[in-house]
Amino acid sequence: MNIKQLTEELDRILESDNVMIGEFELIPHRENAVKYYDKAVEYFKNHADMVKKGYVNLPITELGIPDDDATTLGYELK
């Protein structure tokens, strides 16, 4: 993903309605977290027991994605 694509993806996420997981807004941190944002939203909706305020490092394998450049994805539930 190049800088232009990353910027467009971030703009899409920031301009859309905030995705709420329970009572918290899900905020991605870093490029890979943005890239797999939609899959992370689905994961957190299906794993409500993990939804707590704060930072979460989600193993990329939990999303069914083969391990490439990253082993975890960072998200904040705010």
Side-chain angles (χ1 to χ4, degrees):
M1 182 177 279
N2 64 35
I3 298 295
K4 183 179 177 186
Q5 290 170 322
L6 178 60
T7 303
E8 289 170 355
E9 187 69 12
L10 278 172
D11 288 344
R12 181 189 68 79
I13 291 168
L14 294 173
E15 289 174 1
S16 66
D17 292 333
N18 296 331
V19 174
M20 302 299 286
I21 307 295
E23 61 186 69
F24 305 110
E25 179 181 1
L26 185 64
I27 302 167
H29 290 273
R30 296 191 172 266
E31 179 180 348
N32 282 333
V34 171
K35 186 174 169 182
Y36 299 117
Y37 185 76
D38 294 333
K39 289 186 180 206
V41 167
E42 200 60 38
Y43 177 84
F44 282 114
K45 286 183 177 180
N46 292 326
H47 294 85
D49 56 319
M50 290 187 63
V51 177
K52 297 176 187 161
K53 185 175 183 176
Y55 292 92
V56 175
N57 286 319
L58 182 62
I60 198 166
T61 55
E62 290 290 319
L63 300 178
I65 301 165
D67 195 25
D68 54 357
D69 293 335
T71 56
T72 60
L73 303 171
Y75 294 94
E76 180 181 4
L77 292 156
K78 187 174 180 181

